[in-house]
Amino acid sequence: VSRLMMPSRSVCVFTRVNDARYAAGYLASGVRSMKILSPLSNFSSQIRALSGISGVAHDKMTDKAVFTRDKVLTIHTMNPTVKKVEYAVRGPIVQRAVQIEKELKEGVKKPFTEVIKANIGDAHAMGQQPITFFRQVLALCSYPELLKDNMFPEDAKNRARRILQACGGSSIGAYSASQGIECVRQDVARYIECRDGGVPCDPDNIYLTTGASDGIVTMLKLLVCGEGPTRTGVMISIPQYPLYSAALAELAAVQVNYYLNEDKCWSMDVSELERSLSEARKYCNPKALCVINPGNPTGQVQSRQCIEDVIRFAAKEHLFLMADEVYQDNVYAEGCQFHSFKKVLFEMGPQYSNTVELASFHSTSKCYMGECGFRGGYMEVINMDPEVKAQLTKLVSVRLCPPVPGQALMDLVVNSPKPGEPSYNNFMKERTATLSLLAEKAKLTKEILNTVPGITCNPVQGAMYSFPKISLPEKAIKEAKALGQAPDMFYCMKMLEETGICLVPGSGFGQKEGTYHFRMTILPPTDKLKILLAKVKEFHQKFTKQYS
């Protein structure tokens, strides 16, 4: 027994009945299991009485009793709201795609040679190149010794020095203020003022965040309260980005769906908002309205008139507005233009600009930057109650601060090279090339998908995704349901297994009953995107024939 009193041991073997007290002690101190060489029946009862263990198994092959201790944290004792969280863009399809990649590396024969992941808006992973100026400044901030090197342009060095001077110990490894580095918030405020045609922006209303997602979840935490019919309801678009449904599930808030109009290029319809709100008030207390513009997963760009209508609706119904605007530079379609909710709000006059509560969000992860891994972002709050704002500041302080390299990158996005500076021409060349290429791929995706009988794709006006509708044969729908799968999940999984194309089923984003979709990014390089679209076309035709 003395030899077995080593912390690293997880199995203890006892042979005598009078070892029961030792056995109980081991179990109480965290030993996971023990094997009892004696088959005596009263040994088990002694152990249970002394240690409180509940699991006893008998190995008939060795005539040994194996005692196990229940886990403190089990699927039955864990937080039940976490079990309700789903996140389609990294769900079962993607997990299977990762397995297939491993199988290909191990030499398993497949009808394809690579997995093409079109499931997530990870620009750099799909081949989009970083903006040189951003990486130069980040390199200088990370290793200030490089400031002595003549290979870096002077404007990059100036940006790096300014950022470093604002950091504790002149290091981006130091904590920042919880709300974010002050000079970065000032730059964000100036950027917003310029973007919105001179509408004032107070740096004190800017909160730097760990990507836009962090700001969105933080705002939802502030909004959610109540029980039963008074529980907070949050209106989200369907189709929606799964961050919203996942966050609401985790917070045990009430998800209130409103449907975008697919027949009108996924536009918002105030009559649908009114229907959704009226129904929701029967069982919860709707307090917030979330809008994604440009849209994810649908790729639409809402018109100015639509935004005005939404603001009037929010004002009339006393709703807090949340505007997810992370794709604001990703606008491709002719006649479309990004209008920020804040700009429209203030141009509608004091009746709205002094009363409507608004939080808007931006990020370094999308647009022409694609710097997802740095987790940079900001949110601006408008007309927030001062006491609530104090609570918001307290809440973000609990997490100390957003990643400082992400804050530095956010600063470069809002304070990019200006005309006359050494890096300006190259910066504009790279920025324009990236956005132009995305515009070409948006057009290509829509055109090719619409040549496939049974697939209908709206124009990809903005963002980075298409969300085409697919017609599925009744036989395929029945087979999917027999397997306990959503029909478009069945379709996408089949496509992955047969072609190596990884898409996300529309059911992961929400869709009208009886309709089926998938979401795919337009991010792959053009040659690979053409291969992807050709494979989708071939698969859909084969699938339709197989199940007709």
Side-chain angles (χ1 to χ4, degrees), residues 489-517:
M489 169 65 85
F490 176 75
Y491 174 93
C492 288
M493 193 66 83
K494 279 255 185 192
M495 186 186 296
L496 174 63
E497 296 288 353
E498 295 181 21
T499 69
I501 303 296
C502 181
L503 308 176
V504 189
S507 50
F509 301 88
Q511 55 199 345
K512 280 195 173 181
E513 187 71 27
T515 68
Y516 306 106
H517 301 78

Side-chain angles (χ1 to χ4, degrees), residues 470-488 490-491 513-516 543 547-548:
I470 52 176
S471 297
L472 300 181
E474 191 60 35
K475 184 179 175 183
I477 294 171
K478 287 180 179 177
E479 185 169 331
K481 290 180 178 176
L483 294 170
Q485 291 183 349
D488 45 15
F490 176 75
Y491 174 93
E513 187 71 27
T515 68
Y516 306 106
F543 182 91
Y547 286 98
S548 292

Side-chain angles (χ1 to χ4, degrees), residues 527-539:
D527 56 345
K528 193 167 286 190
L529 180 63
K530 289 178 179 177
I531 294 170
L532 184 158
L533 291 168
K535 285 190 172 188
V536 169
K537 181 175 182 176
E538 182 183 354
F539 170 80

Side-chain angles (χ1 to χ4, degrees), residues 8-241:
S8 61
R9 297 299 294 265
S10 62
V11 176
C12 298
V13 181
F14 295 86
T15 59
R16 303 189 309 275
V17 175
N18 62 4
D19 286 336
R21 288 189 182 277
Y22 291 107
Y26 278 106
L27 285 165
S29 64
V31 170
R32 293 197 300 272
S33 67
M34 59 180 63
K35 294 184 178 179
I36 311 303
L37 301 186
S38 169
L40 294 176
S41 60
N42 67 339
F43 197 92
S44 297
S45 59
Q46 288 184 58
I47 294 290
R48 282 195 296 273
L50 290 165
S51 68
I53 67 165
S54 58
V56 182
H58 182 252
D59 187 337
K60 293 182 179 179
M61 295 293 291
T62 61
D63 197 28
K64 297 174 183 177
V66 180
F67 291 73
T68 60
R69 188 182 193 188
D70 286 347
K71 300 284 187 187
V72 173
L73 182 62
T74 71
I75 196 69
H76 304 295
T77 63
M78 68 177 287
N79 182 343
T81 63
V82 174
K83 290 187 281 186
K84 296 178 182 178
V85 171
E86 294 183 2
Y87 192 64
V89 295
R90 293 180 185 262
I93 292 274
V94 184
Q95 292 164 17
R96 177 58 187 145
V98 171
Q99 290 176 346
I100 290 174
E101 284 183 318
K102 289 180 181 177
E103 291 169 9
L104 286 169
K105 287 179 182 177
E106 292 166 359
V108 177
K109 296 298 180 184
K110 302 280 183 185
F112 47 87
T113 57
E114 67 171 333
V115 173
I116 302 179
K117 292 179 181 175
N119 61 294
I120 195 166
D122 191 349
H124 291 183
M126 301 301 289
Q128 183 174 308
Q129 293 303 300
I131 298 296
T132 301
F133 180 77
F134 293 168
R135 289 301 182 88
Q136 286 175 330
V137 178
L138 290 169
L140 291 163
C141 288
S142 298
Y143 189 56
E145 282 293 308
L146 293 174
L147 288 165
K148 302 171 185 175
D149 197 313
N150 291 329
M151 70 175 288
F152 293 92
E154 199 58 36
D155 54 346
K157 290 182 178 181
N158 289 338
R159 295 291 200 291
R161 290 188 188 103
R162 181 170 180 266
I163 291 167
L164 289 170
Q165 286 169 5
C167 295
S170 295
S171 170
I172 59 170
Y175 287 129
S176 76
S178 297
Q179 197 169 337
I181 297 170
E182 185 175 358
C183 74
V184 178
R185 291 188 289 114
Q186 290 170 350
D187 287 348
V188 170
R190 278 192 289 269
Y191 163 83
I192 292 172
E193 287 183 359
C194 181
R195 180 198 69 185
D196 292 345
V199 176
C201 180
D202 184 350
D204 194 47
N205 289 336
I206 303 297
Y207 289 77
L208 302 182
T209 57
T210 308
S213 301
D214 174 49
I216 291 165
V217 173
T218 299
M219 284 307 310
L220 290 174
K221 285 180 179 177
L222 288 177
L223 282 158
V224 174
C225 65
E227 297 292 338
T230 67
R231 190 66 172 163
T232 296
V234 178
M235 300 179 69
I236 65 172
S237 62
I238 299 296
Q240 53 101 25
Y241 178 52

Side-chain angles (χ1 to χ4, degrees), residues 278-502:
S278 177
E279 286 294 313
R281 280 178 170 157
K282 296 175 184 177
Y283 56 85
C284 70
N285 178 25
K287 287 166 59 176
L289 169 61
C290 299
V291 182
I292 308 173
N293 181 52
N296 177 10
T298 45
Q300 86 287 354
V301 179
Q302 301 295 357
S303 68
R304 182 193 170 90
Q305 183 60 54
C306 171
I307 294 172
E308 286 186 12
D309 292 343
V310 170
I311 289 172
R312 289 190 188 94
F313 173 79
K316 182 182 75 167
E317 301 296 347
H318 201 56
L319 296 170
F320 191 105
L321 262 177
M322 293 176 60
D324 182 339
E325 299 174 333
V326 302
Y327 297 98
Q328 57 190 257
D329 290 315
N330 295 107
V331 178
Y332 319 122
E334 190 175 337
C336 289
Q337 182 181 349
F338 170 74
H339 301 278
S340 78
F341 266 78
K342 181 189 178 184
K343 181 175 188 286
V344 176
L345 176 68
F346 275 76
E347 289 178 350
M348 289 173 68
Q351 175 187 356
Y352 298 99
S353 61
N354 290 343
T355 59
V356 174
E357 295 156 85
L358 169 69
S360 58
F361 309 90
H362 194 18
S363 166
T364 63
S365 301
K366 310 301 177 183
C367 301
Y368 62 94
M369 303 85 73
E371 297 279 12
C372 304
F374 279 98
R375 310 309 299 132
Y378 73 73
M379 66 175 171
E380 180 185 16
V381 295
I382 303 293
N383 293 323
M384 178 172 276
D385 181 286
E387 291 182 334
V388 174
K389 193 174 172 191
Q391 294 297 313
L392 169 60
T393 303
K394 178 187 74 175
L395 186 58
V396 299
S397 71
V398 172
R399 295 196 295 275
L400 298 178
C401 70
V404 174
Q407 295 185 53
L409 181 60
M410 189 78 254
D411 187 68
L412 302 176
V413 171
V414 300
N415 186 23
S416 56
K418 305 295 186 293
E421 291 185 320
S423 301
Y424 177 75
N425 289 338
N426 190 59
F427 169 78
M428 289 305 297
K429 179 183 175 182
E430 292 179 342
R431 182 185 189 278
T432 302
T434 298
L435 293 174
S436 296
L437 189 57
L438 285 169
E440 289 174 18
K441 292 191 282 189
K443 184 178 179 182
L444 179 72
T445 299
K446 177 246 181 185
E447 288 177 350
I448 293 180
L449 288 177
N450 279 327
T451 67
V452 185
I455 297 182
T456 308
C457 183
N458 270 315
V460 182
Q461 297 176 329
M464 298 176 170
Y465 317 96
S466 65
F467 196 69
K469 181 162 63 175
I470 52 176
S471 297
L472 300 181
E474 191 60 35
K475 184 179 175 183
I477 294 171
K478 287 180 179 177
E479 185 169 331
K481 290 180 178 176
L483 294 170
Q485 291 183 349
D488 45 15
M489 169 65 85
F490 176 75
Y491 174 93
C492 288
M493 193 66 83
K494 279 255 185 192
M495 186 186 296
L496 174 63
E497 296 288 353
E498 295 181 21
T499 69
I501 303 296
C502 181

